[in-house]
Amino acid sequence: MQLDSLQARQQFHIRQRLRMMVNQYEVHAVAPDGSEGELLAFAQQKRLAFKEQVTIYTDDSKQQPLLGFKARQRLDLGATYDVTDHAGTPIGLFRKDFAQSLLRSTWHVEQAGLPQVTGQERSLPVALLRRFVDSLSWLPYHFDFTAGGQPVFSVVKKWGLRDRYVVQVQDPQIDRRLVIAMAVALDALQAR
């Protein structure tokens, strides 16, 4: 996949694969009828790693890395994750806002040359139910990411047995690789 082609995309579908020892995610283009289109990227995260790291490849053969993100520190409460391209060049970063996340999960995304983007769970009632009623922790959550009150991108979790998301990008300047990393991280890291 060429970077220009990826950057032109305004919508993605992300679907988790069910595996025993790793979390795997497929990133698909959106077909004209709204269904999953071509595979754009494939992500894999080892479970129970001391330092969170996810590599995102161009496909599920895992031969060519596209990007990755890695925690700066081992303690996960408010960890910062650096996002780099296949050669290790920084793309941006994201971090969880631990204090604000006590009631409503909040993340900050940074990319050079752009204002800080803040993403928060769309629904406070759903956020509270997921935290304080254990039997409802499965409720889908949706995130809206904004900068200066303007929408940048959103991640909407769909109902189903396995985790599926629709990612909508409104800001043409945000690097789609950073958006994909944040969307995958919402599933891979959100429950912690």
Side-chain angles (χ1 to χ4, degrees), residues 52-71:
E52 292 294 343
Q53 181 172 353
V54 175
T55 303
I56 301 173
Y57 301 92
T58 56
D59 60 36
D60 59 0
S61 71
K62 299 185 281 185
Q63 298 298 308
Q64 184 177 349
L66 177 64
L67 67 128
F69 61 88
K70 184 176 183 177

Side-chain angles (χ1 to χ4, degrees), residues 80-122:
T80 297
Y81 298 84
D82 292 303
V83 181
T84 58
D85 70 9
H86 67 283
T89 305
I91 296 171
L93 61 86
F94 58 86
R95 61 185 160 77
K96 189 168 191 173
D97 188 320
F98 178 72
Q100 286 194 347
S101 294
L102 291 173
L103 294 179
R104 183 189 256 178
S105 293
T106 302
W107 293 83
H108 300 290
V109 180
E110 297 178 22
Q111 176 183 323
L114 296 180
Q116 180 177 281
V117 176
T118 299
Q120 193 169 55
E121 283 182 272
R122 184 178 294 165

Side-chain angles (χ1 to χ4, degrees), residues 83 113 133 136 141 146 166 174-175:
V83 181
V133 181
L136 296 177
Y141 46 84
T146 61
V166 175
I174 188 110
D175 193 310

Side-chain angles (χ1 to χ4, degrees), residues 21-53:
M21 296 306 293
V22 295
N23 286 330
Q24 294 181 333
Y25 302 90
E26 296 175 359
V27 180
H28 290 267
V30 177
D33 67 357
S35 65
E36 286 183 4
E38 69 177 299
L39 181 67
L40 300 174
F42 177 80
Q44 181 166 305
Q45 172 203 31
K46 291 181 181 176
R47 292 186 185 150
L48 305 173
F50 283 112
K51 203 173 194 182
E52 292 294 343
Q53 181 172 353

